[in-house]
Amino acid sequence: MNFKNKHIISIRDMSKAELDYILAKAALLKSNKDLQILKNKVLATLFFEPSTRTRLSFEAAITLAGGNYIGFADVTNTSVQKGESLKDTIKTVCGYCDVIAMRHNLEGAARAASEVSKVPIINAGDGANQHPTQTLLDLFTIKEQFGHIENLNIGLFGDLKYGRTVHSLSMALANYNVNLHFISPKLLQMPEYNKKYLSDLGIHFTEVDSLKEVGKKLDILYVTRLQRERFGDPLEYEKASGSYRVTLETMNMLSPHTKIMHPLPKVDEISQEVDKLPNAVYFEQAHNGIFVRQALLGLVTGVIQ
Ligand code: CP
């Protein structure tokens, strides 16, 4: 399978075979941590929006594999402040590196960047749209926890309206034989376009507003943060605030084997007591970002096939 020079923009662009191939490469890298496969490669991390895990795990991924990185985490220190366009920024930076990982607040920004870039663009999140590398590490974690991704009951819980991770993840899970359950307050339901995408593929999902209705069935409860920064109307945010939370009491609504996942950062939607439970796998999930991103960097630069 050839990923050399491919842009990684949306999970919708990838087939099941491609997803499985990337996951297999990431598993090999997790079990062989000392491979210097990215020696002499330079990654540019262009983060127009805040990030902890995505940016740092990309930078850790290339450093641990022998390469280097350049970039910015704060756009106020760049020539964007002087009015430079995204396309001019990309045309310039692609002359300094082998691959670009970019996060932007505008939906479609990564696609626009890929149209002018001479090096592969990896979308590290574009607005409320897509976060494909997060989805890959989510799939990797599911496979690591269960040994497979098939025949699972997966509940996506919380802010399904603005959470780009659940948009990408539900689309990726459409490739596997899973039962999806969308659990959210009415105000935060999965967007219609996302549900239509799944329905058109014949994917079955349920949509409920309470965990009580589906909790005992779930193998995975994937919790999301209320995406405060994407609410246009502060009143809408106030209404939604505090409308869902996972506590020790919530755990009684789940099966003892239900794994709790979260793309992180979390704020107050999961109580700290839950962090200590063996069901909580979200910090291991974040750690897996290194191997999945290393695999992608290796594949798009052509150092792994
Ligand atoms: N999950 C995720 O994208 O985290 P960051 O915003 O910290 O990168």
Side-chain angles (χ1 to χ4, degrees):
M1 206 162 280
N2 189 4
F3 282 88
K4 191 172 178 188
N5 295 327
K6 267 199 177 181
H7 304 291
I8 307 294
I9 306 298
S10 168
I11 215 74
R12 288 167 69 160
D13 301 336
M14 287 185 205
S15 66
K16 179 175 186 291
E18 287 174 326
L19 294 173
D20 288 340
Y21 193 76
I22 297 166
L23 300 184
K25 294 293 173 192
L28 281 177
L29 290 165
K30 191 168 182 178
S31 59
N32 289 284
K33 292 197 176 89
D34 295 331
L35 297 180
Q36 298 286 291
I37 54 166
L38 293 165
K39 203 159 179 250
N40 299 326
K41 296 293 178 197
V42 177
L43 162 71
T45 51
L46 310 187
F47 277 66
F48 294 80
E49 251 199 351
S51 165
T52 297
R53 277 145 291 274
T54 310
R55 183 175 63 82
L56 294 180
S57 65
F58 262 116
E59 293 173 356
I62 192 142
T63 307
L64 291 167
N68 294 296
Y69 67 87
I70 57 171
F72 55 81
D74 179 0
V75 81
T76 58
N77 294 325
T78 72
S79 289
V80 172
Q81 291 308 102
K82 301 174 198 162
E84 186 169 46
S85 68
L86 173 65
K87 288 193 172 178
D88 282 0
T89 303
I90 297 296
K91 281 189 209 169
T92 305
V93 175
C94 70
Y96 305 153
C97 64
D98 300 290
V99 50
I100 294 173
M102 186 184 95
R103 172 171 289 187
H104 204 285
N105 56 314
L106 292 180
E107 295 178 22
R111 185 82 67 195
S114 71
E115 285 161 11
V116 295
S117 181
K118 291 194 176 119
V119 302
I121 298 284
I122 303 181
N123 183 4
D126 62 328
N129 186 32
Q130 284 270 320
H131 194 350
T133 67
Q134 177 68 45
T135 296
L136 284 160
L137 77 89
D138 293 341
L139 295 177
F140 183 89
T141 305
I142 294 171
K143 194 161 183 193
E144 191 172 57
Q145 292 292 328
F146 293 90
H148 55 83
I149 311 179
E150 306 288 340
N151 300 317
L152 295 172
N153 272 284
I154 302 179
L156 304 182
F157 182 53
D159 183 353
L160 308 186
K161 181 175 181 182
Y162 296 113
R164 60 189 168 204
T165 61
V166 285
H167 301 162
S168 295
L169 181 58
S170 60
M171 288 174 177
L173 287 169
N175 288 291
Y176 300 89
N177 182 26
V178 295
N179 295 310
L180 292 175
H181 306 276
F182 300 150
I183 313 146
S184 70
K186 289 240 174 324
L187 205 59
L188 301 174
Q189 281 178 344
M190 190 65 95
E192 289 304 322
Y193 78 86
N194 209 309
K195 288 187 280 189
K196 182 174 182 320
Y197 176 85
L198 299 172
S199 299
D200 288 351
L201 290 172
I203 307 301
H204 178 72
F205 58 85
T206 60
E207 194 167 35
V208 295
D209 58 12
S210 163
L211 249 184
K212 276 187 202 135
E213 295 173 55
V214 292
K216 292 283 179 203
K217 286 187 205 170
L218 297 180
D219 299 294
I220 296 164
L221 181 67
Y222 188 102
V223 188
T224 60
R225 175 178 64 89
L226 198 56
Q227 307 282 304
R228 182 179 197 152
E229 64 278 26
R230 305 202 197 286
F231 278 78
D233 178 356
L235 281 178
E236 194 190 32
Y237 174 76
E238 286 308 318
K239 267 194 235 162
S241 181
S243 56
Y244 61 92
R245 192 151 194 252
V246 177
T247 61
L248 288 182
E249 207 175 306
T250 318
M251 296 305 292
N252 295 327
M253 291 185 218
L254 304 173
S255 151
H257 79 263
T258 308
K259 301 291 182 199
I260 311 293
M261 294 179 65
H262 192 305
L264 302 179
K266 60 186 173 67
V267 184
D268 52 13
E269 64 277 10
I270 298 185
S271 72
Q272 282 188 9
E273 297 96 321
V274 174
D275 291 358
K276 298 180 196 128
L277 301 177
N279 311 61
V281 299
Y282 28 86
F283 290 109
E284 185 58 24
Q285 182 185 349
H287 181 65
N288 285 335
I290 291 182
F291 312 108
V292 165
R293 291 178 175 126
Q294 231 166 29
L296 280 175
L297 292 172
L299 286 164
V300 299
T301 57
V303 298
I304 49 181
Q305 276 86 35

